[in-house]
Amino acid sequence: MAKKNQSIGKDIFRTAIIDSFKKLDPRNMVKNPVMFVVEIGFFLTLLLSIFPNLFGGHYELSQIPFNLVISFILLITVLFGNFAEAIAEGRGKAQAESLRRTKTDLMADRREKEGSYEKVPASTLRKGDVVRVTAGGMIPADGEVIKGLGSVDESAITGESAPVIRGAGGDFSSVTGGTKLLSDELIIEVTVNPGESFLDKMIGLVEGASRQKTPNELALTVLLAGLTLIFLIVVVTLGPFAGYVHGSIDTVTLIALLVCLIPTTIGALLSAIGIAGMDRIIRFNVVAKSGKAVEAAGDVNTLILDKTGTITIGNRLASDFIPVGSHNLKDLINTAVLSSLFDETPEGRSVIDLAKKDGVTLSREDYNDAENVDFSADTRMSGLNLPDGTMVRKGAVDAIKEDVQKKGGRIPEDLDAKMERVAKEGGTPLAVIKNQEIYGLIYLKDIIKPGMRQRFEELRKMGIKTVMCTGDNPLTAATIALEAGVDDFIAEAKPEDKMRLIREEQEQGKLVAMSGDGTNDAPALAQADVGLAMNTGTMAAKEAGNMVDLDSDPTKLIEVVSIGKQLLITRGSITTFSIANDVAKYFAIIPAMFTTIIPQLQSLNIMHLTSPRSAILSAIIFNALIIPLLIPLAMKGVKYRPVSATTLLVKNLLIYGIGGIIVPFLGIKIIDLIITGLGLSNI
């Protein structure tokens, strides 16, 4: 599936600028301790620009322009931080507005107590109401189909133009309000009250402003607040130290130093990184019920995947004909084609296609008088009853053997050996009989999806263990697991087996992710740290999981893990860059502050900045400019490649650690040269 791209348009940009000023409200800023300190610094320097001797000291008229410039730069720094968050929120709000447009004032045919149907506004529907939707009508609310089968257009929600089938019973009965029924008629039981629909939840989730901070983000916020407090104490003590050596440092310079030393870069971008991570998940057509779910995906240790439809294509296809007993290959193929002549399943069609390659074709028209026998869960067989009384069947080997033995037929001696060979090779054998004679086997093979082995290898490099769950027998499961490249497998798996595996992994301190779509998957989805429910699945599954895949692609769980890791890596990379920045800014400002008091410290001025004020201005200007320059990286995310944690750490330190030191040195020096060239070095 192609990812949806959402560029930052003029409307989002314009709104973000306005929101940047609105976010200056101290009640909002206090949620971000680092930027709140910068805002306080702005107000103090602004006051000192108007009242230079506010905190005592000698009044110098020449100090006012410097104070004003510092005050302006601090304001710009705060606005840039607010702008980063507003841009991230703006993308979510734009998508939310697009979703709101799908919520029209629908009318619904609600069933009354006496059984008749009455037209009512969809907004009046309540949980438990039963509605009727006919072809061409809009589904008025989220619900479960209790009668009927129809084709539904979900493009308004998923973006996919291909319709999907929804019907009563099974795991494809869930429907979403705002989608369109294209065919037939459905009777739907409403499962939500107004304001609680899937679309309402999705709108709320994509609105970045209402996003709850994740545990790691909260922990990092506390760390940044701690660092800010430490630097605040350090800077406050510099004044008395300067006085001890018979010097003085003005308050504005101390504020500039504090702003440059505290981690303003990550402080300004932290919220934007989290919102952008949610946005990336949503643009991938996955709705995460919380930022915590996205973050947990990045820390997953174990990935539980179904075999059918996830690791394999989902439809077993005929790949060989194996005669048994005294029957030859041609007789087997003819009998197999007869048994599949009216079978419209992918398996049945694959038998016809394989037979054509061997030169065997039969026409349906020649057998119009035959009675088609559909597959039944009771008999586990399907086929034809010919007009002359001949019975042709294909089905599960044990079911065929049991039927033949009941009717006094003979089981070929080589049947079991050939059946076991097929199972060992990862295939599924179907026996073919005419009357009471077993002609042979159809070898059905699960086709591994292209590239799955490479993807599992990538997950292994991430340190993620992959476990395949399948209802197949152990021999078949082992062969598929080996071919696909998964680390482990569970054969003949039941829902309780998934629960047991999840709990065992979690007891070892691991985080577990799994996907599912059925009601029987709901307990395991709820137990997993990351539960990806399919949109085509039941309401129980969607409620139990903490993510919903609108495209209903189980393999997307692998991409979800990658996006979660990208979020964590982006946050870590920018944090590393921010802290490394502070080291370079230290060498710019500290020498500038003390060289007039202690000339020997001039040797620390390794950047050879023009003057003390030029150094302070250059550092604080760079401190402000680096925030908007990093916004694209925060929004797009650091590209993630599956490598070991050690390799990732070394790469992070080399690029964002060393780079975070070098870039400020160059940037501050260039700004100093520009300031000097404009004659502002001693403003």
Side-chain angles (χ1 to χ4, degrees):
M1 186 208 77
K3 297 179 185 180
K4 295 180 180 179
N5 293 319
Q6 187 181 8
S7 59
I8 300 174
K10 291 181 180 179
D11 290 340
I12 294 177
F13 193 85
R14 191 183 305 113
T15 303
I17 292 175
I18 297 170
D19 287 346
S20 300
F21 285 91
K22 290 180 179 179
K23 288 176 178 289
L24 289 174
D25 185 341
R27 291 170 297 183
N28 175 72
M29 294 299 301
V30 76
K31 299 173 186 176
N32 187 336
V34 177
M35 298 312 292
F36 184 55
V37 168
V38 179
E39 185 177 44
I40 292 174
F42 156 67
F43 285 119
L44 288 175
T45 53
L46 182 62
L47 284 173
L48 288 167
S49 301
I50 302 170
F51 309 105
N53 59 351
L54 180 65
F55 299 115
H58 181 67
Y59 179 95
E60 291 184 15
L61 194 62
S62 61
Q63 184 76 16
I64 295 177
F66 177 75
N67 291 358
L68 282 172
V69 171
I70 294 294
S71 179
F72 176 75
I73 295 170
L74 293 183
L75 174 61
I76 292 298
T77 303
V78 178
L79 288 174
F80 280 157
N82 290 346
F83 180 75
E85 185 177 59
I87 279 286
E89 290 176 358
R91 290 166 62 151
K93 288 176 181 177
Q95 188 167 358
E97 188 57 38
S98 174
L99 290 170
R100 282 194 184 94
R101 286 195 288 269
T102 67
K103 294 185 66 178
T104 56
D105 295 327
L106 300 177
M107 297 298 291
D109 281 335
R110 184 177 64 189
R111 189 166 70 191
E112 301 303 311
K113 291 182 179 179
E114 64 275 10
S116 62
Y117 286 90
E118 179 185 352
K119 286 278 185 186
V120 298
S123 57
T124 64
L125 294 175
R126 294 291 183 272
K127 187 175 181 179
D129 286 345
V130 175
V131 297
R132 177 181 61 191
V133 183
T134 55
M138 301 293 289
I139 294 172
D142 293 2
E144 296 275 356
V145 178
I146 57 176
K147 184 179 180 182
L149 182 75
S151 177
V152 179
D153 176 7
E154 296 186 338
S155 59
I157 306 296
T158 66
E160 286 289 330
S161 57
V164 294
I165 301 299
R166 294 287 183 268
D171 294 339
F172 300 93
S173 59
S174 173
V175 290
T176 305
T179 56
K180 185 177 183 179
L181 180 63
L182 300 178
S183 67
D184 304 289
E185 179 178 290
L186 299 180
I187 305 299
I188 301 166
E189 181 178 345
V190 177
T191 55
V192 296
N193 290 319
E196 300 174 358
S197 72
F198 181 73
L199 195 56
D200 289 317
K201 291 177 182 177
M202 190 172 173
I203 290 170
L205 289 167
V206 300
E207 298 239 32
S210 60
R211 183 187 68 95
Q212 296 294 314
K213 287 187 176 181
T214 63
N216 280 352
E217 194 174 342
L218 286 170
L220 186 54
T221 300
V222 172
L223 174 63
L224 297 180
L227 288 174
T228 301
L229 182 61
I230 291 170
F231 282 121
L232 179 61
I233 295 170
V234 170
V235 169
V236 167
T237 59
L238 287 179
F241 279 133
Y244 180 75
V245 293
H246 308 293
S248 65
I249 303 174
D250 63 90
T251 305
V252 171
T253 299
L254 288 173
I255 291 172
L257 172 65
L258 174 63
V259 170
C260 285
L261 292 185
I262 63 177
T264 50
T265 307
I266 184 61
L269 296 173
L270 182 60
S271 182
I273 293 168
I275 295 171
M278 289 283 288
D279 181 62
R280 278 193 292 276
I281 279 281
I282 290 164
R283 286 187 288 122
F284 213 77
N285 257 11
V286 174
V287 177
K289 296 183 179 180
S290 68
K292 184 179 178 181
V294 182
E295 195 171 84
D299 285 327
V300 160
N301 307 106
T302 305
L303 202 58
I304 300 175
L305 300 163
D306 284 327
K307 183 202 75 171
T308 306
T310 303
I311 295 173
T312 63
I313 289 175
N315 295 319
R316 298 172 302 172
L317 304 178
S319 63
D320 199 7
F321 296 109
I322 304 171
V324 296
S326 60
H327 296 286
N328 59 43
L329 180 62
K330 187 174 181 180
D331 288 342
L332 168 61
I333 296 175
N334 275 299
T335 308
V337 171
L338 269 178
S339 70
S340 305
L341 204 57
F342 294 92
D343 185 351
E344 294 297 339
T345 66
E347 293 175 10
R349 294 297 90 207
S350 71
V351 172
I352 303 295
D353 293 338
L354 183 62
K356 286 179 181 177
K357 294 178 182 178
D358 290 312
V360 177
T361 57
L362 296 177
S363 173
R364 284 188 178 189
E365 286 73 17
D366 295 337
Y367 294 89
N368 282 335
D369 295 334
E371 178 191 357
N372 181 47
V373 179
D374 291 327
F375 176 83
S376 163
D378 294 328
T379 64
R380 293 190 292 157
M381 293 185 284
S382 64
L384 284 182
N385 291 329
L386 301 179
D388 62 2
T390 301
M391 180 193 73
V392 182
R393 297 284 188 275
K394 70 174 188 293
V397 177
D398 58 339
I400 294 286
K401 287 170 64 177
E402 184 181 346
D403 185 67
V404 170
Q405 287 171 337
K406 278 183 180 178
K407 296 176 180 178
R410 187 179 65 86
I411 307 297
E413 294 180 359
D414 57 346
L415 177 64
D416 288 342
K418 291 184 177 181
M419 177 187 71
E420 188 173 333
R421 191 197 83 195
V422 171
K424 283 182 178 179
E425 292 177 4
T428 301
L430 288 184
V432 179
I433 62 171
K434 180 186 283 188
N435 294 326
Q436 299 309 313
E437 286 191 65
I438 300 178
Y439 277 59
L441 301 172
I442 301 172
Y443 183 159
L444 295 179
K445 186 175 182 181
D446 277 316
I447 308 299
I448 305 292
K449 287 184 177 180
M452 290 306 294
R453 173 172 281 276
Q454 290 76 12
R455 299 181 82 177
F456 289 136
E457 182 61 34
E458 290 178 359
L459 289 169
R460 200 169 292 113
K461 289 178 182 177
M462 297 181 198
I464 297 173
K465 173 186 175 183
T466 51
V467 182
M468 179 187 78
C469 287
T470 175
D472 289 337
N473 64 69
L475 285 175
T476 301
T479 304
I480 294 291
L482 182 64
E483 187 178 348
V486 295
D487 298 311
D488 201 357
F489 68 90
I490 298 177
E492 299 174 343
K494 301 178 181 65
E496 52 267 30
D497 294 326
K498 293 181 182 179
M499 282 287 290
R500 176 182 51 79
L501 174 62
I502 292 170
R503 285 173 176 161
E504 286 175 357
E505 293 290 314
Q506 289 174 334
E507 286 170 2
Q508 298 175 36
K510 298 178 181 179
L511 295 185
V512 182
M514 73 158 286
S515 62
D517 58 5
T519 300
N520 61 348
D521 290 325
L525 285 170
Q527 180 70 33
D529 300 284
V530 178
L532 181 66
M534 302 296 102
N535 192 40
T536 55
T538 62
M539 194 62 68
K542 288 194 282 189
E543 287 295 329
N546 51 19
M547 291 187 182
V548 178
D549 176 20
L550 301 180
D551 299 317
S552 301
D553 176 8
T555 61
K556 200 181 288 184
L557 190 58
I558 298 172
E559 275 80 15
V560 167
V561 170
S562 296
I563 292 172
K565 286 193 174 293
Q566 185 186 33
L567 169 64
L568 297 179
I569 290 168
T570 301
R571 187 183 295 152
S573 298
I574 295 182
T575 300
T576 304
F577 186 86
S578 177
I579 294 173
N581 259 326
D582 297 335
V583 176
K585 288 179 282 187
Y586 170 87
F587 281 100
I589 291 189
I590 293 294
M593 288 173 58
F594 284 95
T595 49
T596 54
I597 304 171
I598 308 174
Q600 292 85 348
L601 290 178
Q602 180 62 35
S603 59
L604 290 177
N605 186 15
I606 58 178
M607 286 189 273
H608 302 290
L609 301 177
T610 307
S611 69
R613 286 193 173 179
S614 168
I616 294 167
L617 285 173
S618 299
I620 203 163
I621 289 172
F622 175 84
N623 189 68
L625 292 178
I626 197 64
I627 295 172
L629 291 176
L630 287 175
I631 288 177
L633 180 64
M635 303 302 294
K636 185 178 180 181
V638 175
K639 189 171 183 179
Y640 173 70
R641 288 186 176 86
V643 293
S644 66
T646 303
T647 303
L648 194 61
L649 177 61
V650 171
K651 181 182 176 183
N652 190 46
L653 291 175
L654 287 175
I655 296 176
Y656 297 98
I658 296 176
I661 294 175
I662 295 173
V663 170
F665 271 100
L666 294 175
I668 290 170
K669 182 60 180 178
I670 291 170
I671 294 171
D672 177 69
L673 292 173
I674 294 172
I675 288 175
T676 303
L678 295 174
L680 302 174
S681 57
N682 291 303
I683 188 173

